[in-house]
Amino acid sequence: MIFSQMPRFSDIPETTAQKSANSLRSVAGFRGHWDAPRNGRNWASSAETCCEEGKTVDSANKRSRWTTSNIRSQYGRLIVVTGTGGLGYECALALARAGAEIVMAGRSRAKGEASIARIRESVPSVKIHFEELDLADLASIEACGKRMRANIKKIDVLINNAAVMTVPQRQVTKDGFELQFGTNYLGHFAFTAHLMPLLHQGSNTRVVNVAALAANMAKIDFDDLQSERRYRPMAVYGQSKLANLIFSLALHRLSMARNWGTKIIATHPGLARTDLSGVRADKIKANNDQSSESKIPFLLGLLAPILLQPAEQGALPPLFAATASEAKSGQYYGPDGFGERRGFPAPAKIPSAAKDEAVAKRLWEISEQLTHVRFDA
């Protein structure tokens, strides 16, 4: 494993805010980003390439607005997306429209087949099928990997998107891992390892790992990695998403060191109305109904259409990472708007905790031990 020199980790303490704001932060999937952007990006000092016109745009005056219309033909490419609703569905739909063959991997066959039926209604000619995958079960992950290696010849893009969010009470996976850490991070770590042989057979291959704004205020707690001593739903969710970002950067370094030629790119969707947040546009209710993952306050129901962008907009950063020629390996992309909460794909601020060399190396070694996988050449 090659780890480049990185700044040391700095722990950023949580801030205190009013109860209503905390509720909004929790459901949206982050903390510490409500009142002002923390990334300090200076758009005046950067320039972006407009993929259609091939010219440089000064971001101080005008931002390049990359949308699904910029996706080039994906005919002949096979793309695997984890998650069958929300961002996963939107990614699969957009890629199907661009001509890609799609594998949707998820836990619920009924939900997966329903999503595939909706995609076929929009794209009748699509090649798409469902693979059963429970990211909270290492045996399921291994079995899915074996089936795919037996039945398909190559993978061009893997989008690690599926997640659970802010589970109210601590739960564990079938292997005894804390549910959010085990599903969101360890599950994708293992799944990616099982699919690397197929990615080595693809062309212009990419692995896209979906993180979240919650990673910005998180840390990896090696003393209580499974949250057995203390369980705080949002902090644990943030840790799982920070781990995804650390994994993405580490896998990029490994790809470079071993000359795999695979781009490894991290993204986050900003704040989006999805099944994960429990705030989809067609499910906003003027009450305090309990969803499967989080309780949605009345205030959020009222403000969600203003504060949160549609799921199809939140899917733009992973779609950019999966298809755009200008998307760079080892980079992190998110929305370009205020505080990276909404907008169009642009470089995102990588939190200092994700760039710590010692943390990355230790997390990688622990992950290999826990999942019993290795990323062999």
Side-chain angles (χ1 to χ4, degrees):
M1 176 68 55
I2 304 296
F3 290 90
S4 60
Q5 186 65 35
M6 298 177 181
R8 295 184 63 83
F9 171 75
S10 59
D11 184 16
I12 305 174
E14 292 186 6
T15 61
T16 302
Q18 294 179 348
K19 183 177 180 180
S20 61
N22 277 335
S23 297
L24 293 173
R25 291 187 181 105
S26 294
V27 178
F30 73 103
R31 289 193 181 192
H33 291 76
W34 195 258
D35 301 315
R38 302 179 63 91
N39 55 29
R41 281 187 299 177
N42 181 4
W43 287 98
S45 65
S46 66
E48 298 175 19
T49 300
C50 179
C51 75
E52 284 191 329
E53 299 178 358
K55 64 182 181 180
T56 298
V57 178
D58 183 353
S59 296
N61 299 314
K62 182 170 64 175
R63 295 174 186 163
S64 175
R65 295 189 178 275
W66 191 94
T67 70
T68 54
S69 66
N70 297 105
I71 298 177
R72 296 168 179 171
S73 173
Q74 300 296 303
Y75 282 98
R77 294 178 66 72
L78 189 145
I79 301 178
V80 179
V81 182
T82 67
T84 57
L87 299 182
Y89 170 81
E90 296 296 341
C91 285
L93 176 61
L95 293 166
R97 286 172 172 164
E101 180 178 353
I102 307 296
V103 177
M104 293 191 81
R107 184 176 58 181
S108 170
R109 178 169 293 276
K111 184 177 179 181
E113 295 293 354
S115 293
I116 287 174
R118 290 173 60 200
I119 291 172
R120 285 200 173 113
E121 287 179 2
S122 178
V123 191
S125 62
V126 65
K127 292 183 179 180
I128 186 170
H129 77 271
F130 174 81
E131 284 288 347
E132 188 171 337
L133 171 69
D134 185 353
L135 289 165
D137 182 356
L138 292 178
S140 173
I141 295 168
E142 182 178 8
C144 183
K146 285 183 178 179
R147 287 195 308 274
M148 293 180 70
R149 293 196 302 273
N151 296 325
I152 63 178
K153 295 181 179 180
K154 55 103 176 185
I155 292 173
D156 297 300
V157 180
L158 168 62
I159 302 178
N160 288 322
N161 159 77
V164 293
M165 177 180 169
T166 58
V167 180
Q169 302 296 323
R170 184 181 183 273
Q171 299 180 38
V172 297
T173 68
K174 291 186 178 180
D175 303 283
F177 309 136
E178 185 281 317
L179 185 61
Q180 295 187 87
F181 187 75
T183 301
N184 301 352
Y185 167 61
L186 289 175
H188 281 123
F189 183 93
F191 190 53
T192 304
H194 285 298
L195 296 189
M196 283 310 302
L198 292 173
L199 283 159
H200 291 327
Q201 299 303 313
S203 62
N204 185 22
T205 53
R206 306 183 185 200
V207 175
V208 179
N209 293 308
V210 179
L213 282 172
N216 289 15
M217 297 299 288
K219 68 175 183 178
I220 305 298
D221 186 357
F222 289 110
D223 293 329
D224 191 22
L225 198 58
Q226 305 299 336
S227 306
E228 296 172 290
R229 285 183 249 171
R230 186 182 184 190
Y231 181 78
R232 294 176 296 160
M234 179 50 62
V236 172
Y237 174 72
Q239 176 181 247
S240 73
K241 288 300 186 176
L242 173 61
N244 277 346
L245 180 51
I246 293 172
F247 168 51
S248 195
L249 297 175
L251 191 60
H252 158 73
R253 292 191 292 269
L254 186 61
S255 178
M256 295 291 290
R258 295 182 178 175
N259 295 313
W260 286 346
T262 298
K263 288 184 178 182
I264 316 294
I265 306 171
T267 72
H268 76 80
L271 306 183
R273 300 192 296 272
T274 68
D275 291 334
L276 187 63
S277 68
V279 195
R280 263 197 7 218
D282 59 346
K283 290 187 177 181
I284 295 173
K285 300 178 182 180
N287 56 36
N288 278 342
D289 285 354
Q290 180 72 47
S291 74
S292 62
E293 295 171 347
S294 60
K295 196 170 185 180
I296 309 197
F298 173 67
L299 179 59
L300 180 58
L302 292 177
L303 297 180
I306 300 173
L307 298 174
L308 311 183
Q309 61 184 356
E312 56 267 31
Q313 187 82 11
L316 289 181
L319 286 169
F320 174 84
T323 65
S325 60
E326 61 267 42
K328 297 180 180 179
S329 186
Q331 296 301 307
Y332 187 33
Y333 297 96
D336 63 358
F338 184 76
E340 299 182 4
R341 299 168 196 164
R342 57 192 301 159
F344 297 85
K349 173 72 173 181
I350 300 177
S352 59
K355 297 185 284 187
D356 186 276
E357 179 181 7
V359 168
K361 186 174 185 298
R362 185 178 179 186
L363 180 63
W364 186 282
E365 292 171 349
I366 290 173
S367 301
E368 286 187 329
Q369 293 169 6
L370 293 175
T371 60
H372 313 295
V373 301
R374 293 186 64 86
F375 285 78
D376 297 323

